[in-house]
Amino acid sequence: MHLLIRQIGLLWLVLVCCLPVQAEQHLDGIVQAAAQQTGVPVSVIRAVIQQESAHNPGAVSHKGAQGLMQLMPGTAARFGVYNVFDPAENIRGGTTYLAWLYNRYQSWPLALAGYNAGEGAVDKYAGIPPYRETQDYVSKIMARLGGTAGDVGMAGITGMTGEPAASPYSAALYYQPEPVPVSQPSRQNRAIQQYKEPPSPMDVEANAYTASVFFGEGE
């Protein structure tokens, strides 16, 4: 009996020690796949996950951002994420958004600022918005990457040499732009468009003359 209890205890110890390792390996595989698919460097994805949720897939902010990369509902919808608490979907959506932002600004500090505050704020201020939260966010992530908020592009960030640049084509695979409403013609306008006046005798005569010249009969 004591031997059985001892074996169960050892088995539990092994599970406790191994499960976090397996979870980390699984997450690392997802990050690697997202990096290959979108071109966003692994180091950037990891830094954003650490800053956003500290690797908690069930994290929810007071503003409503959800999951590992803290996607807002609107952002998740834009990039085709249906289950924000699925690590694979969340990381794929967040990474695709980062690729889209990088290709928009060609700068990781600006892309990160857009990720935190939205591209509208970056466009409005033509740079990192003067929000304390956003400035701290960019500074902390750039510090993890070994760069400063003034670095532009991939080459200026330590540990990213040789990694693929973010691809706009990869981002386009998942980005779902909001549909632009198309105004439908009213019943009256459709009736006007469908109605055509019958040609006048002068129009008929002119058309007949043009046709005869075209076919060589008017010479």
Side-chain angles (χ1 to χ4, degrees):
M1 184 66 180
H2 291 290
L3 180 60
L4 179 61
I5 294 174
R6 193 175 186 182
Q7 289 175 339
I8 292 174
L10 288 172
L11 179 61
W12 175 253
L13 182 62
V14 170
L15 288 173
V16 169
C17 293
C18 293
L19 283 177
V21 174
Q22 291 177 346
E24 184 63 30
Q25 289 175 345
H26 177 64
L27 188 63
D28 186 61
I30 293 173
V31 170
Q32 293 284 350
Q36 290 180 351
Q37 198 169 43
T38 63
V40 176
V42 168
S43 50
V44 173
I45 303 172
R46 287 174 175 163
V48 171
I49 291 174
Q50 177 61 37
Q51 182 65 32
E52 289 286 354
S53 67
H55 295 83
N56 178 10
V60 178
S61 76
H62 66 282
K63 293 182 180 179
Q66 301 170 321
L68 284 166
M69 298 189 75
Q70 290 291 276
L71 300 180
M72 293 295 288
T75 304
R78 282 173 68 187
F79 292 94
V81 177
Y82 298 100
N83 181 4
V84 289
F85 297 112
D86 178 350
E89 277 201 61
N90 190 286
I91 291 174
R92 189 259 300 158
T95 305
T96 306
Y97 186 32
L98 282 171
W100 186 87
L101 288 165
Y102 180 80
N103 281 283
R104 182 183 181 93
Y105 299 116
Q106 296 297 304
S107 159
W108 279 119
L110 292 182
L112 292 168
Y115 194 91
N116 178 260
E119 60 265 28
V122 176
D123 293 342
K124 177 181 178 181
Y125 292 100
I128 299 174
Y131 309 149
R132 180 68 177 273
E133 177 189 337
T134 303
Q135 292 181 348
D136 288 348
Y137 179 88
V138 173
S139 296
K140 287 177 180 177
I141 292 180
M142 293 302 294
R144 284 195 182 97
L145 297 171
T148 66
D151 285 327
V152 178
M154 300 258 187
I157 300 178
T158 304
M160 295 169 63
T161 305
E163 295 191 62
S167 167
Y169 304 105
S170 306
L173 291 176
Y174 295 101
Y175 175 54
Q176 302 293 328
E178 295 183 5
V180 178
V182 179
S183 58
Q184 298 294 332
S186 64
R187 183 179 299 177
Q188 182 180 2
N189 289 338
R190 286 199 300 269
I192 292 172
Q193 290 172 1
Q194 291 172 358
Y195 173 76
K196 293 183 179 179
E197 278 190 36
S200 66
M202 293 182 64
D203 291 333
V204 173
E205 184 178 351
N207 290 339
Y209 174 75
T210 304
S212 65
V213 170
F214 180 79
F215 288 107
E217 298 173 0
E219 295 181 357

